[in-house]
Each structure stands twice: as C-alpha cells, then as structure tokens.
Amino acid sequence: MPHDEHKKTLRDIETLSYYAKKFQRLRVDRAHGIAPHKPILLLSVIELIGKGAIKENKIYLSDELIKTFLKYWSYLGSESHNPDISRPFFHMRSGKFWHLWANPGYEKIIASKMKLKTFAEVKRAIKYAHLDEDLFEFLQEPLTRASLLVVLVSRWFPGRHEQIEQIYFQSSEF
C-alpha cells in the first residue's frame, strides 16, 4: 500500500473511532431515567441514509423522519418521556457533529444558544440539520454505517441489536 494511502486509512480509522466515541457519549437527560431521544434520532437518521431517503447532508424535520423516529420510539422509547423529536433535533448539536442551519431571520437565535422548547419553535427556526462531512460519508458506506450502528445500539440499547434490525426492515408507515 502506498504511503499516502496508508496514512489516509489510518486517518479514516481514527476518525471513525472519534465518531464511535461521540455516539457512546451522547449527552442525554437523566432526570427521569435515561431519555433515549438522541440515540433514537440517530437510529432514524441512519436508517433513512441507509435506505437512500436522505441523499445529501441535509436532515429535515420531515414527516418521514418523524414517522421513523416514532417507529423506533414505539419499541425503544421510555414511558417516563414524551416522544418529542424536536428536542433531540435541536439539542443534538451538543455532540459537536450535528449542526443546525437556520431559516432566514433565525440565525441569531440559533447562534445565541437560546433553547427552543416546542416543535413549532424548532420547525420555525431550523431549516435543517447537517452532520460533519466525514460522519455523513461514513453513514453512506454500508460497512462503516453498520459499525457505527453496532456502537450506538451496544451503548444505548444493549442486547437489542436483533430487535433493532427487525425494526429497521419494517416500513415506517403505521
């Protein structure tokens, strides 16, 4: 393997490891038990990228994303939490790999770190979220997507990989 290609491979492994750690260390609300919103949002995004529904690095708070989130929530969600997608959609930015693109006129609100609390506020202020480019590329590749999925499931839903695989292959329609 040529030296430059070897360096790129090592860099890719280090970068993949970086995102694996980010997935393991998601900051979640623990006030009433672990709130699984962020891991479920990531599962939903990974599924939609894997199925080709998200083709470019723009994650809209679309009906399809909401349905997919609610599908996972129905199996993995917590009874002591509401299945509100808008909060993890907004707060995932604390992980430093999820970035928000403001709708025109809302740039200062997004930049100010002001908390958006309702679905309507999030929908009004945020045009879409996007991932670090490296992470988006990893999630487009079946092998690295599967690796990151295993990390996410092992950390947040241990012992439920087979169930999550079954959920993944279900339609998002109820």
Side-chain angles (χ1 to χ4, degrees), residues 136-152:
F136 185 70
E137 287 175 22
F138 284 138
L139 292 177
Q140 289 179 306
E141 294 297 323
L143 201 59
T144 49
R145 180 174 57 245
S147 298
L148 288 169
L149 189 60
V150 166
V151 167
L152 187 67

Side-chain angles (χ1 to χ4, degrees), residues 13 16 26 33 38 43 81 99 133 162 172:
I13 291 168
L16 186 60
L26 293 172
K38 287 180 182 178
L43 282 173
H81 296 94
H99 312 281
E133 204 52 50
E162 203 171 285
S172 291

Side-chain angles (χ1 to χ4, degrees), residues 44-161:
S44 304
V45 168
I46 290 169
E47 175 180 320
L48 294 176
I49 290 171
K51 290 183 173 178
I54 296 176
K55 291 179 176 45
E56 59 179 330
N57 194 356
K58 293 180 180 177
I59 303 158
Y60 293 93
L61 202 47
S62 65
D63 289 345
E64 189 170 19
L65 179 61
I66 294 166
K67 283 179 188 169
T68 305
F69 178 86
L70 291 173
K71 176 182 75 170
Y72 281 101
W73 187 274
S74 70
Y75 293 96
L76 306 169
S78 156
E79 288 185 21
S80 54
H81 296 94
N82 289 325
D84 179 2
I85 192 173
S86 61
R87 290 197 177 199
F89 193 87
F90 176 74
H91 289 289
M92 187 84 80
R93 69 184 181 172
S94 69
K96 307 286 188 234
F97 59 82
W98 180 276
H99 312 281
L100 303 175
W101 189 267
N103 276 315
Y106 288 90
E107 297 85 359
K108 285 184 178 157
I109 289 172
I110 300 300
S112 75
K113 306 287 187 209
M114 186 176 136
K115 288 186 177 172
L116 303 178
K117 292 184 171 66
T118 68
F119 183 83
E121 288 174 347
V122 170
K123 194 85 167 150
R124 196 169 33 249
I126 300 169
K127 184 168 184 153
Y128 59 83
H130 59 98
L131 303 170
D132 286 353
E133 204 52 50
D134 286 337
L135 177 56
F136 185 70
E137 287 175 22
F138 284 138
L139 292 177
Q140 289 179 306
E141 294 297 323
L143 201 59
T144 49
R145 180 174 57 245
S147 298
L148 288 169
L149 189 60
V150 166
V151 167
L152 187 67
V153 171
S154 299
R155 168 61 181 95
W156 298 103
F157 309 105
R160 298 181 79 179
H161 194 81

